[in-house]
Amino acid sequence: MRRCTCGHSASHTAVDSALPRVPRAVGLVTSKRGAAYGDVVRVARGRFGVRLVLAHCLVQGPEAPGSITRAIDALDRDRTVVLVTSSPLEVHGPHLPVVADIAESEGLIGRAMEKVVARHEEMVVARLPPLFVATDVVPQAGSIRFSPDTVVRVLTELGTSLARQGFRHVWVGNFHGGPRHILAIDRAAHAVNRRAGGKMLSVFGVLLKDITGGSSDLAAVLGGVGGIAREELKGDAHGGLVETALLLHLTGAHVDPSYRTLPPR
């Protein structure tokens, strides 16, 4: 990922260090007179003491669009990485929310960016709302499916639009294991990079081999994690132990308590 965004070697073990529990600074693009800004200041400074950097702009009224545009236009294109998730709304059993893959992707891409920014504090992060455009979903009521070509087209047009505005570094998040969906993201990134001079990449695709070692057996991948027996991971898959644990961490109350009574497989 660093090679794609910064032009440096991906190996940088000499500066590996523990991440701080909270960020050193938080950047806000909002009105300094808005209630939302006051709430963020009160909570962030009161609980964590972090430094806040404000880019003031209007957020209401007829002048707001131009003000927000100017704030965005002030971003340094060479140092800005745009994050966007492309994962489905999909049924994950009777206990998990249909936004499971989106929440997991947002968690993964956010944590990946924290680790990169910890080494490159000059980087600026612009996070877009998630896209629930995905293919290869479970065919049940509640799942929303798009064709692979639609996924490619949406992400290609998004990446091309950003690249033409100077935002070439686009990281696409995902936590959906559908093979055609993973391939669609890679196809879109290739098209954007070739046609528009972008540096778009799939975070999930980059990490997938490192996370799994090429294996689809979660017991082999996560068998050494503390607090869980290797036997419990055998056969674990969609909406199973691993995803339930992730969603309990990421979404908490949105996981139905009935998960405690479900069979292990």
Side-chain angles (χ1 to χ4, degrees):
M1 288 181 288
R2 290 185 57 218
R3 184 183 298 113
C4 292
T5 58
C6 305
H8 299 299
S9 167
S11 176
H12 203 57
T13 55
V15 296
D16 282 351
S17 60
L19 290 173
R21 189 173 69 88
V22 296
R24 298 182 181 92
V26 175
L28 302 171
V29 179
T30 188
S31 170
K32 63 183 177 183
R33 292 181 290 274
Y37 176 60
D39 291 342
V40 171
V41 170
R42 176 174 50 80
V43 173
R45 288 180 177 167
R47 294 185 184 178
F48 308 116
V50 299
R51 181 170 63 92
L52 296 175
V53 180
L54 173 67
H56 172 67
C57 66
L58 301 176
V59 295
Q60 293 181 339
E63 303 298 323
S67 181
I68 295 172
T69 298
R70 288 189 292 274
I72 294 173
D73 198 46
L75 292 172
D76 185 336
R77 284 4 184 214
D78 290 334
R79 296 190 300 144
T80 299
V81 176
V82 179
L83 304 183
V84 62
T85 278
S86 175
S87 278
L89 295 176
E90 182 182 29
V91 174
H92 282 69
H95 59 302
L96 297 181
V98 294
V99 296
D101 286 337
I102 293 173
E104 289 161 332
S105 172
E106 291 282 275
L108 174 66
I109 198 172
R111 184 59 172 161
M113 181 52 73
E114 285 178 14
K115 294 178 77 68
V116 173
V117 172
R119 298 179 180 180
H120 300 277
E121 296 183 2
E122 75 280 3
M123 291 178 67
V124 178
V125 179
R127 199 158 189 168
L128 299 182
L131 304 172
F132 59 91
V133 181
T135 192
D136 286 347
V137 298
V138 174
Q140 293 182 339
S143 298
I144 306 297
R145 178 195 175 275
F146 294 85
S147 71
D149 286 344
T150 298
V151 178
V152 173
R153 181 171 180 177
V154 168
L155 292 176
T156 299
E157 292 190 3
L158 173 67
T160 300
S161 178
L162 289 167
R164 288 175 177 170
Q165 297 174 53
F167 296 104
R168 297 183 300 133
H169 305 297
V170 182
W171 291 13
V172 182
N174 173 45
F175 208 86
H176 177 54
R180 293 191 300 171
H181 183 64
I182 296 172
L183 179 59
I185 297 175
D186 286 339
R187 286 174 56 197
H190 177 72
V192 172
N193 298 344
R194 180 169 55 87
R195 300 173 189 171
K199 292 189 176 181
M200 187 175 183
L201 62 86
S202 167
V203 177
F204 189 68
V206 170
L207 296 178
L208 187 60
K209 185 175 181 179
D210 288 338
I211 292 172
T212 66
S215 172
S216 60
D217 181 6
L218 290 179
V221 177
L222 302 175
V225 175
I228 186 171
R230 187 184 182 93
E231 183 64 29
E232 293 178 297
L233 290 167
K234 288 185 177 180
D236 191 64
H238 186 83
L241 185 151
V242 172
E243 285 203 285
T244 300
L246 284 171
L247 270 298
L248 282 169
H249 172 69
L250 294 168
T251 66
H254 295 288
V255 175
D256 193 292
S258 65
Y259 78 88
R260 297 186 179 93
T261 65
L262 295 174
R265 302 288 183 270

